[in-house]
Amino acid sequence: MKKCVFAGTFDPPTVGHEDVVKKCLCIFDEVVVAVLDNPQKNTLFSAAGRLALLKKLFADEPRVRVRAFGGAAADLLAEEGTPFYVRGVRDAIDFEYENRNHYASKRLMPEMITIYLPCEQAHLHVSSTLVRNSLKFSKPYADLVPASIYGDVAAMLEDKNV
């Protein structure tokens, strides 16, 4: 059985994140979606909230397991017993960032295999930052987050009075 890890902040999850997981399901038997809890990042949604959004998003897909994590990618892969680390990339800037992280992680886990999945052209502009900015300025964001969690994102925002 082949398993991969797709980790990120997911603040909040976007249609781009959903697309990466769907592509992973075409390649792997199991996809572990890991919500990174980085105390150095000032996130809009709590780690528990982001975890809940992703669990709801993939509730009907038994091959996806959502979990929290707060360490290095190499440690996460070791815990999950897989060398396959998936990264979604939109452009050359994403690629350069992910590639630098790949080499840093490879020092810690030489057997690590990073797989870069390019995003669909329709999602080139989609990012969690764009969603947060849309929320900040009261602009529409329904096309940026999966429909199945849109209501949950809105409810979480009301609770925060964003």
Side-chain angles (χ1 to χ4, degrees):
M1 183 165 117
K2 293 287 184 191
K3 173 171 49 170
C4 73
V5 170
F6 175 47
T9 307
F10 306 108
D11 187 40
T14 68
V15 293
H17 296 132
E18 179 183 39
D19 187 58
V20 168
V21 172
K22 286 180 178 178
K23 288 175 181 171
C24 287
L25 289 169
C26 293
I27 304 168
F28 295 96
D29 301 309
E30 182 182 1
V31 179
V32 177
V33 179
V35 177
L36 294 177
D37 188 13
N38 182 348
Q40 295 176 344
K41 277 196 169 184
N42 185 19
T43 58
L44 179 60
F45 297 96
S46 69
R50 292 177 276 135
L51 198 64
L53 289 169
L54 286 161
K55 283 183 176 182
K56 181 174 182 181
L57 178 59
F58 298 111
D60 294 333
E61 180 47 75
R63 297 177 300 150
V64 174
R65 183 167 46 87
V66 179
R67 63 166 288 188
F69 190 74
D75 297 332
L76 175 59
L77 292 168
E79 277 185 24
E80 290 296 335
T82 183
F84 300 111
Y85 191 51
V86 173
R87 308 306 301 149
V89 292
R90 292 170 295 206
D91 55 24
I93 294 168
D94 280 356
F95 178 77
E96 290 295 328
Y97 173 81
E98 295 298 345
N99 217 34
R100 281 190 300 275
N101 286 339
H102 162 76
Y103 289 113
S105 294
K106 194 104 166 134
R107 285 180 52 245
L108 303 173
M109 183 183 193
E111 66 275 18
M112 176 180 174
I113 300 169
T114 303
I115 300 166
Y116 301 106
L117 294 177
C119 81
E120 296 300 318
Q121 188 173 16
H123 298 152
L124 283 173
H125 68 291
V126 176
S127 68
S128 293
T129 301
L130 178 58
V131 176
R132 290 191 305 274
N133 286 340
S134 297
L135 298 168
K136 180 179 176 181
F137 297 110
S138 300
K139 299 301 177 195
Y141 63 95
D143 60 325
L144 305 174
V145 298
S148 62
I149 62 169
Y150 176 80
D152 300 273
V153 170
M156 287 180 175
L157 290 171
E158 281 187 27
D159 291 342
K160 290 179 90 78
N161 294 317
V162 175

